[in-house]
Amino acid sequence: MSMAAFPALRGGNQDIALIEGDARHSYAALESCVKACARGLLNGKADLGQERIAVLIPAGRDYATALHGVWRAGGIAVPLNVAAKAPELEHCLLQAGVSRVMTSRQHPVAIGPLCEKLGIGASHADDTQDAGRQQRPLPSVEESRAAMIVFTSGTTSRPKGAVLTHQAVRAQVTMLVEAWRWTRNDSIPLFLPLHHLHGIINVLSCALWSGATVHAMPKLDAVRLCEQIAGGVFSVLMAVPTVYVKLIEHIESLPAPQRKTVCDGFQRMRLNVSGSAACPARVFARWKELTGQALLERYGATETGMAISNPYDGERRAGFVGQPLPGVMAQIFDENDQPVEKEAVPGEVRVRGEAVFQGYWNDERATRNSFINGWFRTGDIAVVENGYYRILGRSSIDIIKSGGYKVSALEVEDALLGHEAIREAAVIGLPDETWGEIVAAAVTLKDGASLGLDGLKQWCAGRMSAYKAPRRLKVMDALPRNAMGKVVKAALRDLL
Ligand code: MLC
Ligand code: AMP
């Protein structure tokens, strides 16, 4: 299909698109920043021609400016984790062949030395205003072109870049806007990171497509969020289960009158959504008891966008993720790659449709392995019961979900082997009430070496994002191995 990339900022000129601290940015102001940014990036060129531009900016006007600026100029945006450590950023920058990193003067991220080392340019999203004065036309970008590379961990050690076209982005956004009834009257807090689809698509892009208002927050602050919700500031909340656990803890700690005001505030909202990891039935039940809200749980992945959802109207079932969203084809397959038509028979969830990604950037082999007969293999095992999907788990023990973040056990193991005291390392996820799973490591040490959890945490701090660092450590004489010499991770779970 050849169509121009969607405009995406669809609020009335004077409507407020983004609130950031005391600053309120109208749609008209954001639109002019985006155009200026795009012209600055082009700097006289007609089209960026799929140049990869990293966006390393926390939530706020500069992030939206950079993302849309890159799109309008014909580039591919590569949103990166502002809290990532240098080795992680280096991997993504090199893997995606990034030519320039956009940062924000207001929220600087120390990327200078790394850019210098890699010979990559850096510019501020709000620095391009002068170049932007020339009123050159912006390119017409076909929908079939790539819009974004989003890095995601998998069963390979280092994260892979999933390529999403403008068509896929539009399909993901319009599907959710319709399914969850977004309108310009909506108002949503944004505290999730903006290098994953949950923050980028479900919160920011759906809101801006609908002409709604996004309140950008530097991080989750349960106290402040609950105060604002008591004050009726928001109509919609989208979060990972860990956030609901943290909100429940906070609400339960409040004195009765204050607790009632906060719970009444949540009750008045039109929608509370949970996703990115399994929402435990007890969290669903407690949230309903406290706030009267039946959490709408949905299921998705970086490669597919949101795929399966409980209904807006109708029964939202605890422990279930609902039914395929409009436009999404989802199907359970058995080990022989045959579709499972019967209820209650488990198999792998596979997804196809307009919203699904194109492939992994520069990784044909991984792309080939992740599709079968046009279906994307999610690696998640599910059953359908009474018409609703229920996710049972993952086919690989090497994928951990912690606080909604996907962590590759192999990536953490590779990193740990760089520690001078560690001879062997095996990493697994352990169940945890707050985080869903936490990262745990079993290691053997080199002769005469010693290692404690605090020392390991300190060592990890400069080398990997906090959510990947092991929270449990077991030093062993030998790792449990099978006859083939492979570590038996299932056995490790019991030992840890
Ligand atoms: C942080 N900590 C963790 C942790 N993350 N501990 C265990 N497991 C983790 N995953 C530790 C920190 O090191 C710190 O410890 C303490 O917890 C508080 O950290 P924090 O960063 O201040 O936590 P907080 O701000 O409360 O963040 C919690 C959170 C965050 C849930 C908001 O984890 C988050 O934004 N998760 C969302 C990830 C996401 O968007 N995933 C979507 C992927 S897309 P100490 O010792 O220093 O105090 C996808 C598709 C789909 O999955 O379906 O959506
Ligand atoms: P990511 O690669 O970070 O996009 O994570 C995608 C993965 O998150 C999926 O493959 C699932 O394993 C998991 N996931 C997302 N939503 C849910 C959910 N509602 N219940 C269980 N798992 C989920």
Side-chain angles (χ1 to χ4, degrees), residues 42 48 53 57 61 90 94 103 108 126 161 185 213-214 278 283-284 289 300 305 340 350-351 382 397 417 464 483 487:
L42 286 165
L48 287 184
I53 315 261
I57 306 177
R61 184 200 56 185
E90 181 168 338
L94 290 176
T103 53
D126 50 346
N185 297 325
T213 302
V214 177
V283 173
F284 180 97
E289 250 167 43
V340 171
R350 297 185 186 164
V351 177
I397 199 166
L417 292 177
M464 62 183 84
V487 175

Coordinates of all heavy atoms in Angstrom, one line a residue, residues 42 48 53 57 61 90 94 103 108 126 161 185 213-214 278 283-284 289 300 305 340 350-351 382 397 417 464 483 487:
L42 N 16.9 17.2 8.5 CA 17.1 17.1 7.0 C 18.3 18.0 6.6 O 19.0 17.7 5.7 CB 15.8 17.5 6.3 CG 14.7 16.4 6.3 CD1 13.4 17.0 5.9 CD2 15.1 15.2 5.4
L48 N 15.5 11.7 4.7 CA 16.6 11.1 5.5 C 16.9 9.7 4.9 O 17.9 9.0 5.3 CB 16.3 11.0 6.9 CG 16.3 12.2 7.8 CD1 16.1 11.9 9.2 CD2 17.7 12.9 7.6
I53 N 18.1 7.1 13.5 CA 18.4 8.1 14.4 C 17.9 7.7 15.8 O 16.7 7.4 16.0 CB 17.6 9.4 14.1 CG1 17.7 9.8 12.6 CG2 18.0 10.6 15.0 CD1 18.8 10.7 12.2
I57 N 15.8 10.1 25.2 CA 15.1 11.2 25.9 C 14.0 10.7 26.7 O 13.2 9.8 26.3 CB 14.5 12.2 24.8 CG1 15.6 12.6 23.8 CG2 13.9 13.4 25.5 CD1 15.1 13.6 22.7
R61 N 7.9 16.7 26.0 CA 7.8 17.3 24.6 C 9.0 16.9 23.7 O 8.8 16.6 22.6 CB 7.7 18.8 24.8 CG 7.5 19.5 23.4 CD 7.9 20.9 23.4 NE 9.3 21.1 23.9 CZ 9.9 22.2 24.1 NH1 9.2 23.4 23.9 NH2 11.2 22.3 24.5
E90 N 25.9 0.8 23.4 CA 26.8 0.6 22.3 C 26.3 -0.6 21.4 O 26.3 -0.4 20.2 CB 28.2 0.2 22.9 CG 29.2 0.0 21.8 CD 30.7 -0.1 22.4 OE1 30.9 0.5 23.5 OE2 31.5 -0.7 21.7
L94 N 25.3 0.2 17.5 CA 26.1 -0.5 16.4 C 25.2 -1.4 15.6 O 25.2 -1.4 14.4 CB 27.3 -1.3 17.0 CG 28.4 -0.4 17.6 CD1 29.5 -1.3 18.2 CD2 29.0 0.5 16.5
T103 N 19.2 13.8 21.8 CA 19.0 13.9 23.3 C 18.2 15.2 23.5 O 17.8 15.9 22.6 CB 20.4 14.0 24.0 OG1 21.2 15.0 23.4 CG2 21.1 12.7 23.9
P108 N 19.4 16.0 29.9 CA 20.5 15.4 29.3 C 20.9 14.0 29.7 O 20.6 13.7 30.9 CB 21.7 16.4 29.7 CG 21.1 17.2 30.9 CD 19.6 17.1 30.9
D126 N 15.7 19.9 20.6 CA 15.3 21.3 20.6 C 16.4 22.2 20.0 O 16.4 23.4 20.2 CB 14.8 21.8 22.0 CG 15.9 21.5 23.0 OD1 16.8 20.7 22.7 OD2 15.8 22.0 24.1
G161 N 16.8 -5.9 17.2 CA 16.0 -4.7 16.8 C 14.8 -5.1 16.0 O 14.9 -5.5 14.8
N185 N -11.1 13.8 25.0 CA -11.3 14.1 26.4 C -10.4 13.3 27.4 O -10.4 13.6 28.6 CB -12.7 13.9 26.8 CG -13.6 14.8 26.0 OD1 -13.2 16.0 25.7 ND2 -14.8 14.3 25.6
T213 N -4.7 14.2 26.3 CA -3.5 14.8 27.0 C -2.7 13.8 27.7 O -3.2 13.0 28.5 CB -4.1 15.9 28.0 OG1 -4.9 16.8 27.3 CG2 -3.0 16.6 28.7
V214 N -1.4 13.9 27.6 CA -0.4 13.0 28.2 C 0.3 13.8 29.3 O 0.8 14.9 29.0 CB 0.6 12.5 27.2 CG1 1.6 11.6 27.9 CG2 -0.1 11.7 26.1
A278 N 1.9 -11.2 33.1 CA 0.7 -11.8 33.7 C 0.2 -11.0 34.9 O 1.0 -10.8 35.8 CB 0.9 -13.3 34.0
V283 N -4.2 -9.8 42.3 CA -4.0 -8.4 42.1 C -5.3 -7.9 41.4 O -5.8 -6.8 41.8 CB -2.8 -8.1 41.2 CG1 -2.7 -6.6 40.8 CG2 -1.5 -8.5 41.9
F284 N -5.9 -8.6 40.5 CA -7.1 -8.3 39.8 C -8.2 -8.1 40.9 O -9.0 -7.1 41.0 CB -7.5 -9.4 38.8 CG -8.8 -9.1 38.1 CD1 -8.8 -8.6 36.8 CD2 -10.0 -9.5 38.6 CE1 -9.9 -8.3 36.1 CE2 -11.2 -9.2 37.9 CZ -11.2 -8.7 36.7
E289 N -11.7 -4.8 44.6 CA -12.2 -4.6 45.9 C -11.9 -3.1 46.3 O -12.8 -2.4 46.9 CB -11.4 -5.4 46.9 CG -12.1 -6.6 47.6 CD -11.0 -7.5 48.2 OE1 -10.1 -7.0 48.9 OE2 -11.2 -8.7 48.1
G300 N 0.5 -8.7 24.6 CA 1.1 -8.2 23.4 C 2.6 -8.6 23.4 O 3.1 -9.2 24.3
G305 N 2.9 -6.0 18.5 CA 2.0 -5.0 19.1 C 0.9 -5.7 20.0 O 1.1 -6.9 20.3
V340 N -4.5 -25.7 16.8 CA -5.3 -26.4 17.8 C -6.7 -25.8 17.8 O -6.8 -24.6 18.1 CB -4.6 -26.2 19.2 CG1 -5.5 -26.7 20.3 CG2 -3.3 -26.8 19.2
R350 N 0.5 -18.0 18.0 CA 1.2 -17.4 16.9 C 0.2 -16.3 16.4 O -1.0 -16.4 16.5 CB 1.4 -18.4 15.8 CG 2.4 -19.4 16.3 CD 2.9 -20.4 15.3 NE 3.7 -21.5 15.9 CZ 4.0 -22.6 15.4 NH1 3.6 -23.0 14.2 NH2 4.8 -23.5 16.1
V351 N 0.9 -15.2 15.8 CA 0.1 -14.0 15.5 C 0.5 -13.6 14.1 O 1.6 -13.6 13.7 CB 0.4 -12.9 16.5 CG1 -0.3 -11.6 16.1 CG2 0.1 -13.3 17.9
A382 N -0.3 -21.0 25.5 CA -1.6 -20.6 26.0 C -2.7 -21.7 25.7 O -2.4 -22.6 25.0 CB -2.0 -19.3 25.3
I397 N 12.9 -21.3 29.1 CA 13.2 -20.9 30.5 C 14.1 -19.7 30.5 O 14.3 -19.1 31.5 CB 13.7 -22.2 31.2 CG1 13.6 -22.0 32.7 CG2 15.2 -22.5 30.8 CD1 13.8 -23.2 33.5
L417 N 30.0 -13.7 33.2 CA 31.3 -14.4 32.9 C 32.4 -13.4 32.7 O 33.6 -13.8 32.8 CB 31.1 -15.3 31.6 CG 30.2 -16.5 31.8 CD1 30.1 -17.3 30.5 CD2 30.7 -17.4 33.0
M464 N 25.0 -3.2 33.4 CA 23.7 -3.5 32.8 C 22.6 -2.7 33.5 O 22.8 -2.3 34.7 CB 23.5 -5.1 33.0 CG 23.5 -5.5 34.4 SD 23.3 -7.3 34.6 CE 25.0 -7.9 34.4
A483 N 23.3 -35.4 31.5 CA 24.3 -36.2 30.9 C 25.0 -35.6 29.8 O 26.2 -35.9 29.5 CB 23.6 -37.5 30.5
V487 N 23.3 -27.3 31.7 CA 22.8 -26.9 33.1 C 21.3 -27.2 33.1 O 20.6 -26.8 32.2 CB 23.1 -25.4 33.4 CG1 22.4 -25.0 34.7 CG2 24.6 -25.1 33.4

